[in-house]
Amino acid sequence: MELLKERIRKDGVIKEGNVLKVDSFLNHQMDIKLLNEIGKEFKRLFAGEKIDKILTIEASGIGIAAIVAQYFDVPVVFAKKSESINLDGEMLTAPITSFTHKKEYQVIVAKRFLHAGENILVIDDFMANGCAAEGLCKIIQSAGANIKGIGIVIEKGFQDGGKMLREKGLRVESLAIVESMDAENQTIVFRDDT
Ligand code: 5GP
């Protein structure tokens, strides 16, 4: 998605440790016009699929998924990262190792919001090692629902998540795939076909 790649080139900041910061338009301050274009692009890519619900993970995924969901006209469910007093009833859980925070935690979705046979699209901001997306897929499977695809805004193609999930036969659509990036020179190379 050319518009997104241009924006990453212009405003993305490459940090040591393979972290790309896009907090001026995606992760902290959010450019809603760009997010609408992202929503339209996911809708175009998954046009052939019947989607009943979007599943994402707090926190950064929520705003993105909420806008994307308007183009699919479906609800958003977001997985929570810790148990809270607001959670009741039966829970679906999966362990996730956070790329940015380097710690393991459980992600939790109340069972009553994911039903057997529903068609679910996973949406998230980044894909690195694929842990977050894989955890969400495990939750979908444990609900007996169908994983219709995984939509990622920015995939870091030099990390293994995308490869690992595609090899499992899952459909992963990333709007920009970073092939390589260099923190010292602040240069970034995208895969041609995104
Ligand atoms: P994974 O589980 O695929 O290793 O990492 C994906 C999650 O880690 C995403 O939900 C995202 O929040 C965070 N993440 C991974 N890499 C980056 C990055 O380079 N920049 C930012 N801002 N977040 C990242």
Side-chain angles (χ1 to χ4, degrees):
M1 183 181 170
E2 217 41 59
L3 187 69
L4 174 65
K5 290 195 280 186
E6 270 170 34
R7 190 61 180 273
I8 298 168
R9 275 201 194 93
K10 183 169 155 277
D11 291 331
V13 178
I14 303 157
K15 297 278 181 191
E16 293 297 336
N18 286 333
V19 172
L20 174 61
K21 282 197 85 170
V22 288
D23 54 0
S24 65
F25 62 96
L26 192 70
N27 280 148
H28 198 3
Q29 175 169 259
M30 300 173 81
D31 180 337
I32 302 303
K33 262 194 180 164
L34 176 66
L35 283 171
N36 275 315
E37 295 306 316
I38 286 170
K40 282 181 207 164
E41 184 61 7
F42 280 131
K43 178 64 188 169
R44 189 185 69 78
L45 290 165
F46 289 100
E49 302 285 357
K50 183 182 178 296
I51 305 294
D52 299 313
K53 232 167 235 183
I54 287 176
L55 179 64
T56 189
I57 181 165
E58 65 179 3
S60 301
I62 298 174
I64 299 166
I67 290 186
V68 173
Q70 296 187 90
Y71 293 90
F72 288 84
D73 197 18
V74 296
V76 174
V77 176
F78 65 90
K80 300 197 176 210
K81 286 181 180 164
S82 63
E83 212 145 349
S84 90
I85 50 165
N86 291 326
L87 284 165
D88 52 22
E90 257 187 280
M91 300 295 157
L92 304 166
T93 63
I96 286 187
T97 306
S98 159
F99 177 79
T100 37
H101 300 113
K102 310 270 182 255
K103 61 172 187 188
E104 194 180 299
Y105 51 87
Q106 294 287 322
V107 283
I108 307 162
V109 174
K111 206 171 174 183
R112 68 186 186 282
F113 296 130
L114 285 183
H115 304 121
E118 278 183 333
N119 299 310
I120 312 294
L121 174 63
V122 172
I123 293 286
D124 202 8
D125 58 346
F126 270 90
M127 169 99 72
N129 299 320
C131 258
E134 192 183 26
L136 293 177
C137 288
K138 280 185 187 150
I139 284 180
I140 295 169
Q141 283 165 333
S142 63
N146 308 313
I147 307 160
K148 298 308 278 188
I150 301 168
I152 299 292
V153 180
I154 304 170
E155 175 179 339
K156 291 182 289 179
F158 53 88
Q159 293 177 298
D160 284 340
K163 187 169 177 281
M164 181 262 295
L165 293 166
R166 289 182 183 100
E167 277 175 5
K168 286 184 179 204
L170 294 168
R171 179 174 177 197
V172 182
E173 297 284 357
S174 301
L175 304 188
I177 302 182
V178 177
E179 204 65 86
S180 62
M181 58 188 200
D182 178 359
E184 202 177 307
N185 304 311
Q186 289 296 303
T187 51
I188 190 159
V189 176
F190 292 100
R191 198 172 290 175
D192 282 344
D193 56 359
T194 60

